[in-house]
C-alpha cells in the first residue's frame, strides 16, 4: 500500500507542480508577492495531498519562536519537503539554493522571480560575499532567509557537516539565527518519492543571539539542531 500510495501521490504532485510552473508562468512577468502567494497555495495543496493520499500529516511546533519579519532560519535538511512544506507556513521565505537548480525548466525561473538566493558552491570567498549581499537585500524587505547549514540532504539520524555560509550570515548581518528541527526524511524519502504514513514535524527552536564567535556559534547551532532532530526520530512519529 505504501508503494501504491506513493505512486498515486507522485502522479498528483508532478501534475499539479507542472500546472503551476507552466500554465501560470505568464505571472512571472508580474510582481513577486503574487508569485509567493501561488507558491504558498501550492505548498498547502501538496501538504493536503500528503495527508489524504499517504496518511502523512504535518505539524508545526515552537510557533512562539517563528519569526514574522526579517530573520535568518537554519533548518536541518533531509528531503525536498523541507522546502516545499515550509513555504506553507513561513510569512515570506527566501531560500538559499545551489545554482545547479536553476537548470531545472521553469523551476529556475520561478526561483529567480521569487527572489530566492542562488549560490555558486564552487565560488568560495566571492560566493560568500554575494550570499551576504543578497541576504542583506532580502532582509531589508522583511523576508526570512532560509539557509540549510549542511548544504545538502542527509539521511535521518545522520550528523551534518555544517558549512561556512551560515556562519558568514551570522557574523556579517548581526541577527539572531533561528534553528529549525524536523523529521521529514522519515516520511518523505531523501531520494525519490516514497511516503511513509505518520507525522512530519517542523519545530522552531529558540533563537541563537548575535555576538558569538564563529566556532562557538557553529557548535551551539549543531548542539541545538541535532539533539532536537534525534528526539523527533526517537519518538517514532
Amino acid at each position: 500500500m505504501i508503494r501504491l500510495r506513493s505512486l498515486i501521490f507522485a502522479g498528483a504532485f508532478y501534475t499539479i507542480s507542472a500546472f503551476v510552473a507552466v500554465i501560470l508562468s505568464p505571472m512571472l512577468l508580474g510582481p513577486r508577492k503574487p508569485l509567493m502567494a501561488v507558491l504558498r497555495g501550492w505548498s498547502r495543496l501538496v501538504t493536503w495531498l500528503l495527508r489524504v493520499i499517504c496518511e502523512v500529516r504535518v505539524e508545526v511546533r515552537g510557533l512562539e519562536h517563528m519569526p514574522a519579519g526579517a530573520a535568518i532560519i537554519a533548518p536541518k535538511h533531509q528531503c525536498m519537503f523541507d522546502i516545499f512544506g515550509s513555504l506553507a507556513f513561513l510569512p515570506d521565505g527566501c531560500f538559499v539554493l545551489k545554482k545547479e537548480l536553476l537548470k531545472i525548466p521553469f523551476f529556475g525561473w520561478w526561483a529567480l522571480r521569487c527572489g530566492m538566493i542562488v549560490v555558486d558552491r564552487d565560488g568560495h570567498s566571492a560566493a560568500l560575499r554575494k550570499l551576504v549581499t543578497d541576504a542583506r537585500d532580502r532582509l531589508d524587505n522583511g523576508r526570512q532567509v532560509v539557509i540549510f547549514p549542511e548544504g545538502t540532504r542527509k539521511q535521518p539520524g545522520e550528523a551534518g557537516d555544517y558549512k561556512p555560509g551560515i556562519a558568514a550570515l551570522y557574523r556579517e548581518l548581526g541577527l539572531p539565527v533561528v534553528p529549525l528541527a524536523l523529521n521529514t526524511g522519515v516520511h518523505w524519502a531523501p531520494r525519490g518519492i516514497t511516503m511513509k504514513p505518520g507525522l512530519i514535524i517542523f519545530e522552531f527552536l529558540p533563537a541563537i543571539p548575535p555576538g558569538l564567535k564563529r566556532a562557538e556559534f557553529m557548535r551551539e547551532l549543531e548542539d541545538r539542531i541535532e539533539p532536537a532532530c534525534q528526539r523527533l526520530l526517537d519518538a517514532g512519529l
Side-chain angles (χ1 to χ4, degrees), residues 13-14 17-25 28 35-36 39 42 77 80-85 87 95-118 148 153:
F13 171 77
Y14 284 116
S17 299
F19 174 85
V20 170
V22 179
I23 303 301
L24 299 184
S25 61
L28 295 172
L35 299 179
M36 290 300 298
L39 290 186
W42 168 77
H77 196 13
M80 294 190 299
F81 194 67
D82 302 340
I83 298 175
F84 301 161
L87 279 167
F95 290 82
V96 177
L97 308 173
K98 59 184 180 181
K99 73 171 186 177
E100 290 80 3
L101 293 177
L102 297 184
K103 297 177 182 178
I104 301 175
F106 291 95
F107 175 90
W109 301 347
W110 278 85
L112 288 175
R113 289 294 297 129
C114 288
M116 303 304 174
I117 297 174
V118 180
F148 296 104
R153 288 169 281 183

Side-chain angles (χ1 to χ4, degrees), residues 201-212:
I201 293 177
F202 292 90
E203 183 176 358
F204 287 95
L205 305 174
I208 300 174
L212 300 179

